[in-house]
Amino acid sequence: MSRSKLARRIGLSVVALVLFALVAASILAIGVVRQSFPQTGGELDVEGLTGTVQVQRDARGIPTIYADNAGDLFRAQGYVNAQDRFFEMDYRRHLTAGRLSELVGSGGLEADKVIRTMGWRRVAEQELPKLAPETRQYLQAYADGVNAWVKSKGSPEEMSLEYRVLDLQHPGYRVEPWTPVDSLAWLKAMAWDLRGDYDDELARARLSRGGRIGVKQINLLYPPYPFERNLPILSADDWTPAVQPTAQAAGPIPPALRTASGQAAVDRASAAVEAVPATLGKGEDIGSNSWVVSGTRTTTGKPLLANDPHLSLGIPSIWSQVNLQCRTVSTACPFQVSGFSFAGLPGVVIGHNQKVAWGFTNLGPDVTDFYLEQVTGNTYLRDGASVPLKERTETIKVAGAADVQITVRSTVHGPILSDVIAGINEAGDRVVVRGAPQANSYAVSMAWTALTPSNTADAIFALDKAQNWDQFRAAAALFAVPSQNLVYADTAGHIGYQAPGRIPVRRSSTSGAPPGFWPAPGWDSQWDWKGWVPFDQLPYSYDPPEGFIVTANQAVTASDTPFLTSEWDYGFRAQRIRALLGSAKKVSPEMMTQIQGDVRNTFAPSLIERLLEVQVDDFTAQAQGLLRDWDGTQTGDKGRDGASAAYYNAVWKYLLQYTFDELPPDLAADGGSRWMIVIEQLLKDPKNDWWDDKTTPGVTEGSGEILKRALVEARLDLARKLGKVPATWRWGRLHQLDLQHPVLGGDSVPDVVRSIFNRGGIELGGGNAIVNANSWDAAAPGYDVTTGPSMRMVVDLADLNRSVWVNSTGESGHAYHPNYTDQIDAWAAGESFPWPFTPDAVKAASQAELTLRPPGRQATPSP
């Protein structure tokens, strides 16, 4: 479920609508909206502090926090995060605990059921005692800081305007104290959205229904990675796996998937997966760009590192910016680190310290497997024997309604997801299992690496403290989920790459299908996971001869290593970045920023060549001419590039719709990099069955007919939307971003409420599989931006104060606060802001200073 889908379910009652319509104007007029704005100057007493802490904020409200010990540093970070973003933090902890219905009512019930079934918070509770003692201390200090702020407020309405609105529908809400587990549980949401292969495994199972689409045709939708044109992250000289795998094609459709019960279970599991709101984002283009350039190839003589994670775009931004500074670095206070974190989580997730910088992109390994289980009553089949299901009862409290109880059932593989949305279908089919016919009712369970307690929280603080490559790798070894590509640079001049994460070891069955291609037969233990890939067998590179490393979710190595995945992003963004870096004799910091804003569609020219061969009528030819001599630059502005981009993307949209009309709406082609390779391959086979329009019985279409139909329909569509003169079209008018609040931003919320929290109509260039990845869904109505660079940063290791950064919205989570939206324009224009790090630079940029002190303690001078 996307953010917007969740928001649509969270509506206000008729009474609440009338009430809010009457009071909304007065709320804004009398300044109620300002009641929750943070105090950023003067002095405040904060319980639990052992010494004074200075919080200096720049013009964008980004805090630099100075403390004498780590406990005070993270206590202050918790306090400041709560000042800026408490409602977002409260929403996130309710979401990750499966308690969203307590906050927003019945609109959160489906998400709660699924998350309770998976047990995100239960796993976080198991993780806490396994963490290093200092990590637990940092988490507790952060929680203490949040709670000190909560205690300073008299009611939820004083904390954030959202509570005042929700109180109209569900009065009497009370804020609970923050706990370390609330912080840890957010890591599960992060891992959920960034795991790999989960949608494709269920999608293939659904497409196989009744043999309507054969294995050969399904395989065409999942083409191999184009190593010959889009290079992997590491060359064979950088890293060679210990075991060279042999390629496997998909085997036959498992018999269980041919049954009505098996298909029904897959459908219900798919519905359960979709019910979870997107926190970081969903879709094939959820990824990131990150690259690092050695000092031998830069104008500064030291490394440069860039990162821009492509995630869901809402308001407030996913990221919170912070600079955490120990006044004196020591064992008691080892942190001088600045960058991007999540509100609700202490430390810095992506950024740099005084010696080391790092960036993340999603590795996307296959860390989730679905298992078909043969269930009879409260037992399931395992190697010929009936085994009891594990069961527990969960009670979900719903604001404004009665409690809801669910029964969670699990197998040895994990929770049964097909129970969540609908009950098990007891009328099973007769299938053959290990040679013996049995009556079966199928269910679908899920194995996921994040459901095993890990030490990922330890990794965050270890990264923040790392001073060299060895310490960085040691920190990466603790990073279990989600598995990421980590790029590295240091002030000593070194660069590197490490693939961390918990990757399952699988053993294929004798069916010939690679692991993870189809849901596996849970009754056969040979399909079980056999452990985790050792960290020392995961790919890495240190100071490669090429002088730069590019990670943009493409294949990691040219050896289709089975313990990673075979379903990468298809590498157009990565190859474009490589080409731009390779074209420069020396790379400057300014060039790094320019590359982040690149809007060239490198796939487009090959498709355009075929589109220009199609004969069309004069009306369509007026638009077709826009593609001639166009290089694929997708600006959102007026002019030839903007007009050409508008028409090309409209043609692309209709080409996919007409070609893959057999696909269910929720599995339709979204236009990402995979579909570019699919179309490229199909164009070599003009009579392939995918070209045939199944709605025209007796007529068999080929590629020529479908290309022509797409050109014609795109011309008509844009004439309606943008006018009849193609030269006046503009991609930005079609390709717009609406930033929605996760709770009060949906269509079911009245306009007057949405106008307070949402911001929209932001025209953007870029698009799918483009470096400036403002992606859109070709299967959805319109061309609206769905995901994009959630932040951008460029770190200059020659002078950290010359680094730059930008967030997609602003630091504040308070509507109408000056820092709620003050970074949007710069972000949309591809611009960044200075990123001061050292005390002198921070002081020069400071616009406000707040002193936090123990009750009764006099303040100390600022640094």
Side-chain angles (χ1 to χ4, degrees), residues 461-484:
F461 298 107
L463 286 171
D464 288 354
K465 294 184 292 185
Q467 300 292 291
N468 55 49
W469 172 246
D470 289 340
Q471 292 178 11
F472 176 80
R473 288 199 74 209
L478 300 170
F479 205 100
V481 292
S483 185
Q484 299 287 287

Side-chain angles (χ1 to χ4, degrees), residues 145-380:
V146 175
N147 292 328
W149 178 85
V150 170
K151 189 176 179 180
S152 72
K153 300 296 179 181
S155 68
E157 289 76 13
E158 294 179 32
M159 299 178 187
S160 190
L161 184 61
E162 287 93 336
Y163 292 116
R164 187 175 297 275
V165 177
L166 290 172
D167 190 65
L168 295 173
Q169 178 84 330
H170 306 298
Y173 175 76
R174 292 294 177 263
V175 172
E176 296 178 358
W178 192 267
T179 71
V181 174
D182 293 331
S183 295
L184 289 179
W186 178 246
L187 296 176
K188 301 305 164 190
M190 176 181 173
W192 177 254
D193 275 358
L194 298 180
R195 70 206 187 282
D197 191 44
Y198 61 102
D199 280 338
D200 291 338
E201 191 172 322
L202 291 175
R204 285 187 288 262
R206 292 177 60 197
L207 291 175
S208 69
R209 184 192 306 273
R212 182 166 54 91
I213 300 176
V215 173
K216 180 180 178 182
Q217 291 300 98
I218 293 175
N219 274 337
L220 289 174
L221 302 184
Y222 299 91
Y225 186 87
F227 289 104
E228 70 286 352
R229 68 191 289 182
N230 295 337
L231 296 180
I233 296 172
L234 303 181
S235 69
D237 293 334
D238 291 330
W239 185 84
T240 303
V243 178
Q244 290 290 344
T246 56
Q248 289 178 300
I253 298 171
L257 288 179
R258 297 182 181 274
T259 68
S261 178
Q263 282 290 343
V266 168
D267 288 347
R268 293 196 300 271
S270 298
V273 168
E274 281 301 307
V276 181
T279 52
L280 301 187
K282 292 182 178 179
E284 291 185 12
D285 282 315
I286 294 299
S288 307
N289 300 322
S290 190
W291 65 93
V292 60
V293 184
S294 168
T296 61
R297 300 194 61 150
T298 68
T299 59
T300 67
K302 292 286 187 177
L304 296 169
L305 185 148
N307 196 189
D308 55 288
H310 307 152
L311 304 171
S312 178
L313 298 173
I315 191 164
S317 165
I318 287 167
W319 299 104
S320 174
Q321 294 161 275
V322 69
N323 186 4
L324 300 172
Q325 295 279 340
C326 293
R327 292 191 180 100
T328 302
V329 174
S330 64
T331 303
C333 203
F335 298 98
Q336 287 187 339
V337 61
S338 184
F340 295 86
S341 190
F342 299 115
L345 185 69
V348 167
V349 177
I350 298 175
H352 70 81
N353 58 35
Q354 69 272 44
K355 290 188 178 180
V356 167
W358 66 95
F360 282 9
T361 64
N362 197 22
L363 177 60
D366 188 357
V367 296
T368 306
D369 278 345
F370 293 92
Y371 288 86
L372 277 166
E373 309 282 6
Q374 296 186 57
V375 175
T376 302
N378 61 353
T379 67
Y380 68 104

Side-chain angles (χ1 to χ4, degrees), residues 534-565:
F535 179 75
D536 60 8
Q537 291 185 21
L538 293 175
Y540 70 93
S541 178
Y542 185 59
D543 287 337
E546 192 172 21
F548 62 82
I549 302 168
V550 176
T551 78
N553 317 115
Q554 79 271 39
V556 175
T557 74
S559 64
D560 188 20
T561 309
F563 57 69
L564 295 177
T565 184

